[in-house]
Amino acid sequence: MAIANESHQEEHNMQEHHGAGRYVVIWVVLLVLTLVTVFTGRMHLPSFGLLLALVIASVKGTLVALYFMHLSEHQGANRLVFGVSIIFVVLLIGFSLMDLGTRFRLANPPGSQYSDLQAVDIGANPAEGRTGGHQQIQKQGHETHE
């Protein structure tokens, strides 16, 4: 018996089961992508780290939807809904990254990886030349009194 939006051909296709090999390959790909996510998450990639994480997560979600949820075997409305969903995810990621990349310099919080401003005393280490905002204000105050 076919579901409401499936044809008899799709019902016939659903009864043909694929071997476990296909699922093992997809599972291994998902594990590799997870390892890539973990390793790149530990690296300091300020310029494209966010983009890389979002792309990997989108690819993993797409693989799960296509193969483990069997959307690759469906046709018609299911493919249309999946395709439109992918387009909207790409637009969401794209617009978010464009917004982040074109922000006014002071709109990013000080101390964040997207800001070149230092937060007050966050990460202050005079040995590395990072004094933090509070100490810089004190230095400026001493210079003006001299």
Side-chain angles (χ1 to χ4, degrees), residues 39-55:
F39 289 131
T40 58
R42 293 174 189 257
M43 296 179 195
H44 182 66
L45 304 171
S47 58
F48 66 94
L50 178 63
L51 175 65
L52 181 64
L54 289 172
V55 167

PDB file of all heavy atoms in Angstrom, residues 39-55:
ATOM      1  N   PHE A  39      39.027  17.586  14.544  1.00  0.00           N
ATOM      2  CA  PHE A  39      40.407  18.061  14.373  1.00  0.00           C
ATOM      3  C   PHE A  39      40.462  19.521  13.964  1.00  0.00           C
ATOM      4  O   PHE A  39      41.298  20.273  14.452  1.00  0.00           O
ATOM      5  CB  PHE A  39      41.162  17.194  13.372  1.00  0.00           C
ATOM      6  CG  PHE A  39      41.474  15.820  13.897  1.00  0.00           C
ATOM      7  CD1 PHE A  39      41.198  14.699  13.148  1.00  0.00           C
ATOM      8  CD2 PHE A  39      42.036  15.649  15.154  1.00  0.00           C
ATOM      9  CE1 PHE A  39      41.475  13.430  13.628  1.00  0.00           C
ATOM     10  CE2 PHE A  39      42.315  14.388  15.649  1.00  0.00           C
ATOM     11  CZ  PHE A  39      42.033  13.276  14.888  1.00  0.00           C
ATOM     12  N   THR A  40      39.589  19.945  13.062  1.00  0.00           N
ATOM     13  CA  THR A  40      39.603  21.354  12.655  1.00  0.00           C
ATOM     14  C   THR A  40      39.030  22.249  13.745  1.00  0.00           C
ATOM     15  O   THR A  40      39.370  23.428  13.808  1.00  0.00           O
ATOM     16  CB  THR A  40      38.829  21.574  11.350  1.00  0.00           C
ATOM     17  OG1 THR A  40      37.480  21.118  11.509  1.00  0.00           O
ATOM     18  CG2 THR A  40      39.505  20.853  10.198  1.00  0.00           C
ATOM     19  N   GLY A  41      38.202  21.697  14.611  1.00  0.00           N
ATOM     20  CA  GLY A  41      37.685  22.472  15.730  1.00  0.00           C
ATOM     21  C   GLY A  41      38.750  22.800  16.753  1.00  0.00           C
ATOM     22  O   GLY A  41      38.664  23.785  17.479  1.00  0.00           O
ATOM     23  N   ARG A  42      39.783  21.959  16.835  1.00  0.00           N
ATOM     24  CA  ARG A  42      40.881  22.203  17.771  1.00  0.00           C
ATOM     25  C   ARG A  42      41.937  23.140  17.197  1.00  0.00           C
ATOM     26  O   ARG A  42      42.795  23.619  17.915  1.00  0.00           O
ATOM     27  CB  ARG A  42      41.526  20.879  18.164  1.00  0.00           C
ATOM     28  CG  ARG A  42      40.587  20.002  18.973  1.00  0.00           C
ATOM     29  CD  ARG A  42      41.217  18.647  19.226  1.00  0.00           C
ATOM     30  NE  ARG A  42      40.251  17.750  19.809  1.00  0.00           N
ATOM     31  CZ  ARG A  42      40.226  17.428  21.094  1.00  0.00           C
ATOM     32  NH1 ARG A  42      41.108  17.950  21.917  1.00  0.00           N
ATOM     33  NH2 ARG A  42      39.324  16.606  21.552  1.00  0.00           N
ATOM     34  N   MET A  43      41.885  23.365  15.892  1.00  0.00           N
ATOM     35  CA  MET A  43      42.826  24.288  15.254  1.00  0.00           C
ATOM     36  C   MET A  43      42.264  25.701  15.325  1.00  0.00           C
ATOM     37  O   MET A  43      41.064  25.897  15.448  1.00  0.00           O
ATOM     38  CB  MET A  43      43.015  23.921  13.786  1.00  0.00           C
ATOM     39  CG  MET A  43      43.639  22.605  13.538  1.00  0.00           C
ATOM     40  SD  MET A  43      43.735  22.366  11.771  1.00  0.00           S
ATOM     41  CE  MET A  43      44.056  20.644  11.692  1.00  0.00           C
ATOM     42  N   HIS A  44      43.148  26.656  15.227  1.00  0.00           N
ATOM     43  CA  HIS A  44      42.708  28.049  15.200  1.00  0.00           C
ATOM     44  C   HIS A  44      42.602  28.465  13.735  1.00  0.00           C
ATOM     45  O   HIS A  44      43.600  28.773  13.091  1.00  0.00           O
ATOM     46  CB  HIS A  44      43.695  28.942  15.951  1.00  0.00           C
ATOM     47  CG  HIS A  44      43.269  30.362  15.997  1.00  0.00           C
ATOM     48  ND1 HIS A  44      42.151  30.771  16.680  1.00  0.00           N
ATOM     49  CD2 HIS A  44      43.791  31.471  15.431  1.00  0.00           C
ATOM     50  CE1 HIS A  44      42.013  32.073  16.534  1.00  0.00           C
ATOM     51  NE2 HIS A  44      43.001  32.524  15.774  1.00  0.00           N
ATOM     52  N   LEU A  45      41.381  28.432  13.197  1.00  0.00           N
ATOM     53  CA  LEU A  45      41.130  28.801  11.811  1.00  0.00           C
ATOM     54  C   LEU A  45      40.198  30.010  11.782  1.00  0.00           C
ATOM     55  O   LEU A  45      39.005  29.876  11.518  1.00  0.00           O
ATOM     56  CB  LEU A  45      40.493  27.636  11.051  1.00  0.00           C
ATOM     57  CG  LEU A  45      41.256  26.315  11.064  1.00  0.00           C
ATOM     58  CD1 LEU A  45      40.418  25.206  10.476  1.00  0.00           C
ATOM     59  CD2 LEU A  45      42.552  26.469  10.307  1.00  0.00           C
ATOM     60  N   PRO A  46      40.701  31.201  12.059  1.00  0.00           N
ATOM     61  CA  PRO A  46      39.812  32.350  12.195  1.00  0.00           C
ATOM     62  C   PRO A  46      39.152  32.786  10.896  1.00  0.00           C
ATOM     63  O   PRO A  46      38.058  33.317  10.908  1.00  0.00           O
ATOM     64  CB  PRO A  46      40.723  33.457  12.725  1.00  0.00           C
ATOM     65  CG  PRO A  46      42.086  33.072  12.293  1.00  0.00           C
ATOM     66  CD  PRO A  46      42.096  31.576  12.262  1.00  0.00           C
ATOM     67  N   SER A  47      39.793  32.534   9.767  1.00  0.00           N
ATOM     68  CA  SER A  47      39.234  33.062   8.525  1.00  0.00           C
ATOM     69  C   SER A  47      38.144  32.175   7.933  1.00  0.00           C
ATOM     70  O   SER A  47      37.185  32.680   7.374  1.00  0.00           O
ATOM     71  CB  SER A  47      40.351  33.276   7.501  1.00  0.00           C
ATOM     72  OG  SER A  47      41.020  32.058   7.260  1.00  0.00           O
ATOM     73  N   PHE A  48      38.268  30.868   8.049  1.00  0.00           N
ATOM     74  CA  PHE A  48      37.258  30.012   7.423  1.00  0.00           C
ATOM     75  C   PHE A  48      36.800  28.859   8.315  1.00  0.00           C
ATOM     76  O   PHE A  48      36.162  27.928   7.838  1.00  0.00           O
ATOM     77  CB  PHE A  48      37.781  29.470   6.089  1.00  0.00           C
ATOM     78  CG  PHE A  48      38.943  28.542   6.210  1.00  0.00           C
ATOM     79  CD1 PHE A  48      38.752  27.175   6.265  1.00  0.00           C
ATOM     80  CD2 PHE A  48      40.233  29.027   6.259  1.00  0.00           C
ATOM     81  CE1 PHE A  48      39.821  26.314   6.376  1.00  0.00           C
ATOM     82  CE2 PHE A  48      41.312  28.173   6.362  1.00  0.00           C
ATOM     83  CZ  PHE A  48      41.103  26.811   6.421  1.00  0.00           C
ATOM     84  N   GLY A  49      37.080  28.914   9.600  1.00  0.00           N
ATOM     85  CA  GLY A  49      36.683  27.839  10.510  1.00  0.00           C
ATOM     86  C   GLY A  49      35.173  27.675  10.611  1.00  0.00           C
ATOM     87  O   GLY A  49      34.651  26.560  10.589  1.00  0.00           O
ATOM     88  N   LEU A  50      34.465  28.793  10.716  1.00  0.00           N
ATOM     89  CA  LEU A  50      33.004  28.739  10.810  1.00  0.00           C
ATOM     90  C   LEU A  50      32.398  28.189   9.524  1.00  0.00           C
ATOM     91  O   LEU A  50      31.515  27.328   9.557  1.00  0.00           O
ATOM     92  CB  LEU A  50      32.448  30.130  11.112  1.00  0.00           C
ATOM     93  CG  LEU A  50      30.935  30.255  11.186  1.00  0.00           C
ATOM     94  CD1 LEU A  50      30.386  29.415  12.330  1.00  0.00           C
ATOM     95  CD2 LEU A  50      30.519  31.701  11.334  1.00  0.00           C
ATOM     96  N   LEU A  51      32.886  28.660   8.399  1.00  0.00           N
ATOM     97  CA  LEU A  51      32.390  28.177   7.109  1.00  0.00           C
ATOM     98  C   LEU A  51      32.631  26.680   6.963  1.00  0.00           C
ATOM     99  O   LEU A  51      31.740  25.936   6.544  1.00  0.00           O
ATOM    100  CB  LEU A  51      33.054  28.942   5.961  1.00  0.00           C
ATOM    101  CG  LEU A  51      32.707  28.463   4.554  1.00  0.00           C
ATOM    102  CD1 LEU A  51      31.236  28.694   4.264  1.00  0.00           C
ATOM    103  CD2 LEU A  51      33.568  29.162   3.533  1.00  0.00           C
ATOM    104  N   LEU A  52      33.813  26.219   7.332  1.00  0.00           N
ATOM    105  CA  LEU A  52      34.142  24.799   7.239  1.00  0.00           C
ATOM    106  C   LEU A  52      33.221  23.959   8.118  1.00  0.00           C
ATOM    107  O   LEU A  52      32.699  22.927   7.683  1.00  0.00           O
ATOM    108  CB  LEU A  52      35.603  24.564   7.623  1.00  0.00           C
ATOM    109  CG  LEU A  52      36.096  23.131   7.554  1.00  0.00           C
ATOM    110  CD1 LEU A  52      36.047  22.617   6.120  1.00  0.00           C
ATOM    111  CD2 LEU A  52      37.492  23.033   8.114  1.00  0.00           C
ATOM    112  N   ALA A  53      32.984  24.401   9.341  1.00  0.00           N
ATOM    113  CA  ALA A  53      32.104  23.656  10.253  1.00  0.00           C
ATOM    114  C   ALA A  53      30.673  23.593   9.713  1.00  0.00           C
ATOM    115  O   ALA A  53      30.018  22.538   9.773  1.00  0.00           O
ATOM    116  CB  ALA A  53      32.121  24.290  11.634  1.00  0.00           C
ATOM    117  N   LEU A  54      30.183  24.699   9.165  1.00  0.00           N
ATOM    118  CA  LEU A  54      28.822  24.713   8.619  1.00  0.00           C
ATOM    119  C   LEU A  54      28.696  23.840   7.375  1.00  0.00           C
ATOM    120  O   LEU A  54      27.693  23.141   7.192  1.00  0.00           O
ATOM    121  CB  LEU A  54      28.402  26.145   8.311  1.00  0.00           C
ATOM    122  CG  LEU A  54      28.138  27.033   9.522  1.00  0.00           C
ATOM    123  CD1 LEU A  54      27.910  28.474   9.088  1.00  0.00           C
ATOM    124  CD2 LEU A  54      26.955  26.528  10.309  1.00  0.00           C
ATOM    125  N   VAL A  55      29.708  23.855   6.534  1.00  0.00           N
ATOM    126  CA  VAL A  55      29.672  23.016   5.329  1.00  0.00           C
ATOM    127  C   VAL A  55      29.711  21.538   5.708  1.00  0.00           C
ATOM    128  O   VAL A  55      28.932  20.729   5.176  1.00  0.00           O
ATOM    129  CB  VAL A  55      30.830  23.386   4.374  1.00  0.00           C
ATOM    130  CG1 VAL A  55      31.007  22.343   3.285  1.00  0.00           C
ATOM    131  CG2 VAL A  55      30.587  24.750   3.762  1.00  0.00           C
TER     132      VAL A  55
END
